[in-house]
Amino acid sequence: MTRIKIAHLYPKLLNIYGDGGNILALKKRCEWRGIEFELDEINIGDKIKEHDIYFIGGGQDLQQIEVSKELQKHKDFLIQERDRMAVFLGICGGYQLMGHYYQPHNGEKLLGISLLDAHTIAGEKRFIGNVTVKTDLTEDGTLVGFENHSGLTYLSGSTEPLGTIVTGNGNNGADKTEGARFKNVFGTYLHGSFLPKNPKFADYLLELALGFKPEPLNDNIENLAHESLINKLY
Ligand code: GLN
């Protein structure tokens, strides 16, 4: 039986605005297809072994400080995992720590693990609201979600955005980019949670992890949720 192994990184610290729903979406989309789904929750002090997909959710600055320190112990291993094309998905605070650093309003710069060529600096304004993104990564060409962050993320080098902002702010509210991708590492500011409302992107991640396109599912309900959020301005 086909099996997918997923590591949920630091769920006790980085898991706000329903980000754990991304794991549930991947779990159900595997089970509905008869694909075995193995989940490891990785907490502070745990070792990390090879997985097909790594997920890290969002969180407040305080929790990011603790996770930033812990992630440094695993930086070389996770870069090796990136380079063997394992799939990563980071949401908001987790996304920020997949870059080089996050500079909060007060205190020390939080080191990231440089899976992405990106850096984040806390801005004066908190971006809160629904977001619609135009993307080339899915057949329907849109990603939707909810943002709540003050961090401003800037991409460099070969790290590309997930897409272009149609409504909302995205990476920094200025360059019209949202999210990031390098190899099979993906980051986004979209909470909501993200994958249940973006089933085509969820299946894209599964395809990258499986090495083949998974059979289509009846996504009527998921697509209704997706479409109901397109260009929702409040
Ligand atoms: N603390 C970070 C910020 O405010 C991330 C917040 C989050 O994960 N929603 O930008």
Side-chain angles (χ1 to χ4, degrees):
M1 176 193 260
T2 311
R3 184 174 66 171
I4 279 202
K5 297 193 300 179
I6 297 200
H8 188 174
L9 302 178
Y10 314 109
K12 291 182 181 154
L13 291 164
L14 294 183
N15 191 359
I16 52 174
Y17 309 130
D19 288 341
N22 292 290
I23 296 286
L24 295 178
L26 291 171
K27 179 177 190 300
K28 292 311 291 178
R29 299 186 76 80
C30 285
E31 289 174 351
W32 287 332
R33 292 167 165 128
I35 297 169
E36 198 180 331
F37 178 91
E38 184 184 315
L39 175 65
D40 290 324
E41 289 200 350
I42 307 293
N43 292 300
I44 299 292
D46 289 349
K47 287 190 173 34
I48 305 179
K49 59 183 192 325
E50 279 193 12
H51 287 77
D52 303 303
I53 299 178
Y54 295 85
F55 175 78
I56 184 166
Q60 304 304 346
D61 292 13
L62 203 57
Q63 287 72 33
Q64 287 178 282
I65 293 169
E66 195 172 352
V67 173
S68 160
K69 286 191 189 116
E70 183 72 7
L71 277 174
Q72 299 315 307
K73 301 174 192 168
H74 306 288
K75 179 175 178 179
D76 293 345
F77 170 73
L78 292 172
I79 287 176
Q80 278 169 25
E81 287 292 273
R82 174 201 67 187
D83 292 344
R84 72 166 186 86
M85 303 305 276
V87 176
F88 288 77
L89 176 63
I91 311 287
C92 202
Y95 164 32
Q96 294 169 344
L97 295 178
M98 293 201 302
H100 301 308
Y101 64 84
Y102 166 47
Q103 175 60 64
H105 287 108
N106 310 306
E108 302 275 300
K109 185 185 281 189
L110 307 186
L111 290 179
I113 49 174
S114 301
L115 298 180
L116 297 165
D117 193 353
H119 69 278
T120 302
I121 299 163
E124 289 315 309
K125 189 171 170 237
R126 177 159 282 274
F127 296 143
I128 300 175
N130 287 295
V131 180
T132 305
V133 179
K134 188 172 167 304
T135 182
D136 297 333
L137 295 174
T138 61
E139 290 148 47
D140 57 8
T142 50
L143 298 171
V144 296
F146 184 85
E147 64 183 337
N148 183 331
H149 60 103
S150 64
L152 306 174
T153 296
Y154 301 92
L155 310 182
S156 313
S158 321
T159 294
E160 298 290 328
L162 294 187
T164 308
I165 284 288
V166 176
T167 55
N169 298 279
N171 280 331
N172 50 54
D175 66 9
K176 288 289 185 195
T177 66
E178 160 46 23
R181 179 196 190 164
F182 178 62
K183 296 187 176 179
N184 285 342
V185 177
F186 300 87
T188 180
Y189 274 110
L190 302 187
H191 293 286
S193 36
F194 177 54
L195 293 181
K197 297 183 179 72
N198 295 282
K200 291 180 175 56
F201 190 79
D203 281 354
Y204 179 50
L205 295 186
L206 289 175
E207 179 181 348
L208 291 170
L210 288 164
F212 61 86
K213 200 172 182 61
E215 65 183 77
L217 293 172
N218 174 341
D219 282 333
N220 291 346
I221 294 173
E222 293 83 354
N223 290 332
L224 277 175
H226 182 92
E227 282 139 33
S228 73
L229 282 163
I230 290 179
N231 300 336
K232 186 172 178 183
L233 296 173
Y234 51 86

